[in-house]
Structures are given as structure tokens and as C-alpha cells.
Amino acid sequence: MNRLIKPFMHALIAVGLLTGAAQADNTGDATMVVMETSHGDITLEFFPDEAPITVENFLRYVDDGFFDGTIFHRVIPGFVIQGGGFDADMQQQQTRDPIKNEADNGLKNERGMLSMARTQQVDSATSQFFINLADNAFLDHGERDFGYAVFARVSEGMDVIDRIAAQPTGSHGMHRDVPTEPIVVHKAYRK
């Protein structure tokens, strides 16, 4: 991605992005979540050692059924797909308080990794998350910016993510890159 596009893409992520999570599994086994979407199932694996606050937050939203009926409301091919904040009518969902940004945890915004979305305020993530479609190193923690906290990865279903990324998009009110047909998370649950 050239130098002119990077600041633009960073601004897209920064504008209106929020985050979410829940309680980590203490069994020692990897915590997995399945998201059943209108385009297929996605299985997520979490990094509770590197991002304990973020993982706990996200899993709490999962356990509360918060993501059920939400949509992937932003799709930017070659960059990210974003969800966790709006329903199919583009009504923003009520969230809990923001969490601390754990972007300095050593994990990278690489293809298939999940990160918390946020506003320009470093510690503003609530329930919204994005899935990287490419290696987006400029979103990592660094001198330029605190970055976006990576907390999970897609362990199964990157083909579903790529199908979602290929959907046509348009504008909906002040929101851009919104899929023209809602891409719904029917249910999210621990596996």
C-alpha cells in the first residue's frame, strides 16, 4: 500500500470504530468462538495471554448474545471487514464502557487476525472489531500511533471472510463501504 493510501486507510479505521470482548476460559484449552454468518461459519481462536482485557471483553459480549443479529457494516477489499456494532437497519447497538487498548502486546495486524476497532482516542474500544484481509503493519503499535489491539485469529473460515470481502458496497447515511445486502452474524457462541 503506498504512502498516500496508508493515512487514508488509518483514518477510515479511526473514524467511528469501537470494540468488544468477554471472560477468558480458565481450563487451559484454547478458547474458540463460532460466528454463524449469512455467508458461512467463522471460527475464532483467542490470545488471552497477550490480550487478557480485550479477550475477556469480547467473550463477555459473546456470552451475552450481543453479536447475534449484528452485521459486518464495513467492507474494504484488500484491507479489513468490520463488525460488532450495528444491526441490519444500521442502528448502533448499546455497548459497555470502553476498555484499555492492548495494542502493545506484540501481536501484529496480519491477514486473518482480529483487532479491536476504536475512535481516535487510544482507549475507546467497546464491541466493534475488524478482521484483517491483508498484512496491515501500519495498524500495529509503534512510534507513529498506539495502534489497534490484536486479540484473536480466524482459525477456520477465511474462505467465508474472503466471500464477505467480495460483496458489493455503497453508502448508508454517513457510513461508507457498507455492504448493499446485510451480512448478518446470526449467532456467536463458544465452541
Side-chain angles (χ1 to χ4, degrees):
M1 199 172 292
N2 73 41
R3 290 185 196 178
L4 296 176
I5 293 176
K6 284 182 182 179
F8 172 73
M9 292 303 206
H10 186 267
L12 284 176
I13 287 286
V15 175
L17 306 183
L18 301 171
T19 153
Q23 213 159 22
D25 185 356
N26 294 324
T27 65
D29 295 330
T31 300
M32 308 290 273
V33 164
V34 175
M35 283 192 164
E36 296 177 357
T37 80
S38 54
H39 283 66
D41 293 354
I42 304 162
T43 303
L44 309 176
E45 180 180 358
F46 295 84
F47 301 110
D49 292 339
E50 294 84 355
I53 295 168
T54 310
V55 170
E56 179 182 347
N57 179 61
F58 191 89
L59 292 175
R60 187 169 164 206
Y61 279 110
V62 168
D63 293 343
D64 290 347
F66 177 88
F67 295 120
D68 302 357
T70 61
I71 62 168
F72 284 96
H73 65 275
R74 177 173 287 149
V75 171
I76 306 173
F79 184 42
V80 300
I81 66 170
Q82 183 179 329
F86 292 86
D87 66 16
D89 296 322
M90 286 299 289
Q91 297 299 309
Q92 191 158 5
Q93 303 301 290
Q94 185 68 39
T95 64
R96 292 188 306 277
D97 290 339
I99 60 170
K100 179 178 178 2
N101 188 333
E102 296 178 298
D104 57 351
N105 63 18
L107 298 173
K108 305 296 182 189
N109 282 281
E110 297 170 340
R111 176 172 164 77
M113 301 297 261
L114 277 74
S115 290
M116 293 309 292
R118 63 175 175 84
T119 66
Q120 292 180 336
Q121 291 183 320
V122 171
D123 296 326
S124 60
T126 58
S127 67
Q128 290 188 39
F129 62 93
F130 60 90
I131 301 172
N132 288 283
L133 299 172
D135 293 349
N136 293 313
F138 68 99
L139 299 177
D140 293 341
H141 176 69
E143 291 180 21
R144 179 198 51 77
D145 182 80
F146 195 82
Y148 295 82
V150 176
F151 66 97
R153 72 177 187 92
V154 176
S155 66
E156 295 177 35
M158 274 309 291
D159 58 325
V160 175
I161 302 300
D162 290 335
R163 274 198 301 277
I164 292 171
Q167 298 306 301
T169 62
S171 294
H172 189 284
M174 64 181 191
H175 302 281
R176 296 181 182 199
D177 306 305
V178 179
T180 54
E181 293 292 325
I183 299 168
V184 181
V185 176
H186 296 301
K187 188 168 182 59
Y189 56 91
R190 295 196 198 212
K191 185 174 180 179

